[in-house]
Amino acid sequence: MISADKYEIRQLKDLTEKQLCKIDDFIMKGSTNGEFINTSYYLGYHPKGRFQDDSVAVLDRGSGEVKGVMMAAYEGDVLTSHPGTTFAGPVVDRIAKAEVIEIIMDKMLSYYESRYREIIIKKTPDYYTNQPFHLIDYILMHRGYTFGMSALANIINIDGIDCENDILSLFHPKRRNQVKKVMSEHNFGFSLEEEIREAVWINMNENLHNRFHAKTTHTLEEIRELKKRFPDHVKTYYVDTLEGEYSAFSLIFLFKNVFHTQYLDVNYAYARQYPNLLLIKELVKTARDLGYRYFSFGASTEDGGDILNYGLYEYKAEYGGGDILLPVYAKKVM
């Protein structure tokens, strides 16, 4: 039997830069359920004071080896993992013994349950791990956490795609014909670029304001900083006319097993020529060329999942695939 005394819990704010680097390395290991958006280096782009941080790690008392992490912040007596990113629940090594994972989880959850009235855990969604991994769900439910969701998101399984016709076969007939049309006319070019064009970010915010009275989650300065910090995980793709006029744009987050469209935009001056459809077709091809199994369109819901945007959902569904819930577990501590 493994003793829980073998491990200790530490607040990240008390750790050295060297220790934080070790924690980020642990999160990015292929065998954990963590992603780059869960690292302290990613979350560090937020301005100081935006969140009241209470992130923790579980370390081996003897070796100092990292065994588990949870990025979290609090407001009053409510703790959320982590409000500054899409999901940031407990990160553990999936190849560790189940007994060890349970001890690690108990350390983290007991710490939070002793300090806060309510705990909200935005767990890594299904399909983000290479193999099904519901041990975390099992442990949370056994501790009295109730299952909920923060969003309904569209996702496509592209594991079986071998050629362009396989991509087109995913699309609904109307979209397939539109993609074939824009491909046959040769009016646009698709490219990967390092630069995030300011004019494109302005256009995207104007589109979001006009259609949804919304704005981008990140400012241009923030997203440029994230791209600088994570050049291998944040990519920008463009579709332009042959004369170099902006037509469509995507900002991609490259997760371990998921190719995720964080932002998509179109220049409505060219919308009738479908450059955005060409963009999506090329992105699916790029994702498969890079070896990804899943292509994520992101959430189709608003207000924490309470409102389904039918138009947005149907638009994404026309490219094939299915949908998943972004899970949330919550517990009120008496």
Side-chain angles (χ1 to χ4, degrees):
M1 186 172 181
I2 301 170
S3 172
D5 292 336
K6 179 179 172 63
Y7 308 106
E8 63 175 341
I9 192 154
R10 299 285 301 276
Q11 290 179 299
L12 265 59
K13 62 184 179 183
D14 294 334
L15 301 182
T16 65
E17 286 298 320
K18 185 176 180 179
Q19 288 173 312
L20 290 176
C21 287
K22 287 177 64 176
I23 285 168
D24 284 355
D25 288 344
F26 170 81
I27 291 170
M28 292 305 295
K29 281 173 56 177
S31 59
T32 75
N33 62 316
E35 298 285 357
F36 79 97
I37 62 171
N38 305 141
T39 62
S40 61
Y41 191 48
Y42 176 93
L43 293 170
Y45 87 88
H46 291 116
K48 286 187 177 181
R50 179 175 292 185
F51 299 109
Q52 299 181 85
D53 190 86
D54 197 0
S55 301
V56 298
V58 177
L59 309 179
D60 185 290
R61 288 186 188 274
S63 66
E65 185 180 358
V66 183
K67 294 296 183 179
V69 182
M70 190 156 89
M71 299 300 188
Y74 63 93
E75 185 173 350
D77 55 5
V78 178
L79 186 285
T80 304
S81 71
H82 182 290
T85 191
T86 308
F87 53 86
V91 176
V92 298
D93 197 330
R94 293 180 290 111
I95 64 175
K97 291 182 178 180
E99 184 181 358
V100 172
I101 292 175
E102 190 166 22
I103 290 171
I104 300 309
M105 290 278 294
D106 180 68
K107 289 278 185 183
M108 293 190 287
L109 296 174
S110 295
Y111 168 84
Y112 288 127
E113 289 169 10
S114 70
R115 296 167 66 93
Y116 300 99
R117 179 183 58 82
E118 185 175 6
I119 318 295
I120 299 171
I121 295 176
K122 302 187 295 180
K123 180 183 165 285
T124 304
D126 293 342
Y127 299 96
Y128 275 69
T129 53
N130 197 31
Q131 294 290 343
F133 184 62
H134 285 187
L135 180 57
I136 288 176
D137 305 68
Y138 177 86
I139 294 169
L140 289 171
M141 289 181 177
H142 267 255
R143 288 186 71 103
Y145 285 78
T146 57
F147 176 82
M149 59 86 187
S150 65
L152 178 68
N154 296 74
I155 192 166
I156 307 172
N157 185 335
I158 58 173
D159 202 27
I161 288 176
D162 293 318
C163 62
E164 198 161 75
N165 283 336
D166 290 339
I167 298 173
L168 294 175
S169 69
L170 291 170
F171 299 168
H172 288 200
K174 178 181 74 172
R175 294 301 180 198
R176 187 183 310 133
N177 291 335
Q178 290 168 339
V179 172
K180 287 181 177 179
K181 181 178 185 295
V182 67
M183 288 171 59
S184 67
E185 291 174 347
H186 303 290
N187 291 327
F188 301 98
F190 171 80
S191 63
L192 167 67
E193 295 184 17
E194 290 302 315
E195 178 190 6
I196 302 176
R197 304 177 198 167
E198 182 175 4
V200 170
W201 210 258
I202 291 171
N203 185 83
M204 183 159 53
N205 271 293
E206 288 177 350
N207 287 341
L208 285 169
H209 176 75
N210 293 336
R211 297 191 66 188
F212 306 113
H213 300 288
K215 62 180 180 180
T216 55
T217 301
H218 306 89
T219 66
L220 178 60
E221 292 73 22
E222 287 174 338
I223 208 66
R224 282 177 169 170
E225 175 62 22
L226 285 177
K227 196 171 191 312
K228 180 181 177 182
R229 291 182 180 221
F230 293 93
D232 294 334
H233 295 276
V234 181
K235 301 291 184 180
T236 46
Y237 295 89
Y238 294 84
V239 169
D240 295 319
T241 68
L242 299 184
E243 293 74 33
E245 293 291 326
Y246 165 64
S247 305
F249 165 79
S250 63
L251 186 136
I252 302 299
F253 277 6
L254 297 180
F255 294 118
K256 292 176 181 176
N257 299 294
V258 175
F259 185 100
H260 173 67
T261 57
Q262 182 71 15
Y263 292 107
L264 290 169
D265 185 53
V266 64
N267 181 349
Y268 279 99
Y270 295 99
R272 292 182 180 273
Q273 298 179 58
Y274 310 119
N276 53 320
L277 274 68
L278 177 65
L279 173 67
I280 291 170
K281 191 273 293 183
E282 290 292 342
L283 289 175
V284 173
K285 181 178 183 300
T286 299
R288 193 65 196 119
D289 288 345
L290 292 173
Y292 281 92
R293 299 180 62 195
Y294 295 102
F295 181 97
S296 165
F297 271 120
S300 293
T301 49
E302 303 165 10
D303 293 340
D306 286 343
I307 300 173
L308 176 61
N309 185 323
Y310 294 103
L312 185 60
Y313 178 90
E314 296 299 340
Y315 173 78
K316 294 175 180 178
E318 288 172 347
Y319 296 98
D323 47 64
I324 61 170
L325 292 174
L326 302 191
V328 173
Y329 285 90
K331 180 178 181 179
K332 291 187 177 180
V333 182
M334 300 298 184

